[in-house]
Amino acid sequence: MIQRRSVMQGIAGIGLGAGAVALLPQRVAAQAGTVKFGFFGPFTGQFAANGQRFREAGELFLEQANATGGIAGRRLVVDFQDDRGDPLQSTNIAQRYVADAEVVAAIGSFTSTSSMAAGQVFAQAKMPQVSPTSSHPDYTKISPYQFRMPNTQDIVAELNAELMVNRLRTKRIALPYFQDDWGIFVAQATKAEIEKRGGEVILSEAMTQQARDFRAMITKIRAARADGIFIASHYAPSAVFMQQLRQAGIDVPVGGADPLYNPEFLRLAGAAAEGLVCTTYFFPSDPSKATFTEGYKAKYGREPDQWAAFAYDAIAIAAEGAKALLAAGRPLTREALRDAIDALPPYQGATGVTEFVNGTPRKPMTLLVVRNGSYQLYT
């Protein structure tokens, strides 16, 4: 029988040590009674609504772990850093963590672009990096020290295409995408999967980072006679796009990637979000997620979203690896922690079962639809 650990079971008894500075012999942290992780993400800036959920989940795990004895009796310490969604900042933060001999693992970042920029630094230093949300296939190709919580986007693209062609029954599909590493790959992979199923992508066009006027793109969508739209973008530009699309009188079915499961998308898009269908790994109404959902609600007064769940699982898995080393009486170095994370049995967390194969899991996803201003299961 496969061994699985629940989210809350994984907290009890967790504790962490520290690794070494890059290119120097590894050693255990000077403070033997603590374990230290770095945790970075866009706590401010254009992805702040996601990054704030990241930080909240990290702080929740930190509080719960230390309240139940830390990691194998050691107090968990987390150095939170804001990269503002900027790959240059994420690189600087990675260098800071690498230079701190007590940091044995890094959690972050949100975008694939920032995660991969930092990943080059962590790979050279042989420090394990667990990204809660980096889904670009190239992220885990950097080195064996990169791990991720979601599927890669080539896997997710299959569900995107299934949604558009088979569930929404659209054939002539427009595909707006965000102009970053993640958005470009999602668009390419989803287009290929749509075409495999007999659909046609009649327009694929980038949303630049600062763009807030999509009327020219919408005019092209109308002229191309699209009968469906799939949005591979983040919540803020997607909300503006949906408002302008509906204002233009275009009422075709719209599907979206998992960043559109976000309360900020509903707030910004308003009534224009009605009917949109998107993917997710986590839905708080799922009874199997009750322990994490209730703990988060008790601390923050609202339900967690998918990004909080991913961040919680990411730090929990790093802590599980550290606990395994300490329980075995082995030194907690960066390289040893990487091997321990890789060797973990299937981990039952808030976003489903995580079992790494070359740093990547394969998880089922759920479809949600916006009805009456809220997300509901799509059936």
Side-chain angles (χ1 to χ4, degrees), residues 70-320:
I71 300 179
R74 298 191 187 187
R75 184 172 64 88
L76 177 61
V77 176
V78 180
D79 180 3
F80 291 96
Q81 293 291 324
D82 178 14
D83 69 13
R84 303 197 296 274
D86 179 349
L88 178 59
Q89 290 298 319
S90 67
T91 301
N92 292 338
I93 291 167
Q95 291 168 344
R96 169 185 173 136
Y97 290 155
V98 164
D100 183 345
E102 293 184 4
V103 176
V104 287
I107 314 301
S109 180
F110 174 70
T111 68
S112 293
T113 301
S114 291
S115 297
M116 289 192 291
Q120 302 294 333
V121 178
F122 294 129
Q124 185 177 9
K126 297 185 177 180
M127 177 188 287
Q129 174 191 9
V130 185
S131 173
T133 50
S134 180
S135 55
H136 194 294
D138 288 350
Y139 166 70
T140 49
K141 293 177 183 177
I142 295 171
S143 81
Y145 287 83
Q146 275 66 46
F147 298 89
R148 72 171 104 236
M149 302 311 300
N151 300 323
T152 54
Q153 283 301 327
D154 49 353
I155 295 171
V156 178
E158 298 174 11
L159 181 58
N160 296 342
E162 182 75 14
L163 166 64
M164 297 307 299
V165 177
N166 299 106
R167 301 295 293 273
L168 297 180
R169 300 186 181 280
T170 61
K171 296 295 183 183
R172 295 176 55 81
I173 299 160
L175 211 166
Y177 62 91
F178 195 74
Q179 196 171 40
D180 65 0
D181 290 332
W182 169 83
I184 292 167
F185 189 87
V186 172
Q188 292 172 343
T190 300
K191 179 178 185 292
E193 291 295 333
I194 285 172
E195 291 171 349
K196 284 182 186 177
R197 289 161 175 76
E200 181 184 5
V201 174
I202 48 86
L203 177 72
S204 182
E205 189 164 321
M207 294 176 164
T208 59
Q209 294 194 13
Q210 305 305 322
R212 291 297 179 267
D213 185 348
F214 302 107
R215 287 174 292 185
M217 183 190 299
I218 290 167
T219 298
K220 293 178 186 178
I221 290 171
R222 186 198 298 278
R225 303 191 310 280
D227 63 7
I229 299 170
F230 185 84
I231 306 174
S233 187
H234 300 289
Y235 68 88
S238 299
V240 177
F241 174 84
M242 286 300 298
Q243 287 181 329
Q244 293 174 359
L245 182 77
R246 297 316 189 197
Q247 287 166 2
I250 299 177
D251 196 27
V252 300
V254 180
D258 53 326
L260 302 195
Y261 173 40
N262 190 309
E264 280 296 293
F265 172 73
L266 297 184
R267 185 184 69 80
L268 293 170
E274 285 294 307
L276 177 134
V277 181
C278 64
T279 57
T280 187
Y281 294 84
F282 170 81
F283 192 54
S285 298
D286 183 340
S288 69
K289 318 299 185 189
T291 302
F292 167 65
T293 299
E294 290 166 7
Y296 189 97
K297 248 180 122 174
K299 183 170 177 63
Y300 299 111
R302 63 180 180 280
E303 289 184 334
D305 62 11
Q306 172 176 271
W307 314 114
F310 270 135
Y312 190 91
D313 281 356
I315 192 170
I317 276 184
E320 279 291 305

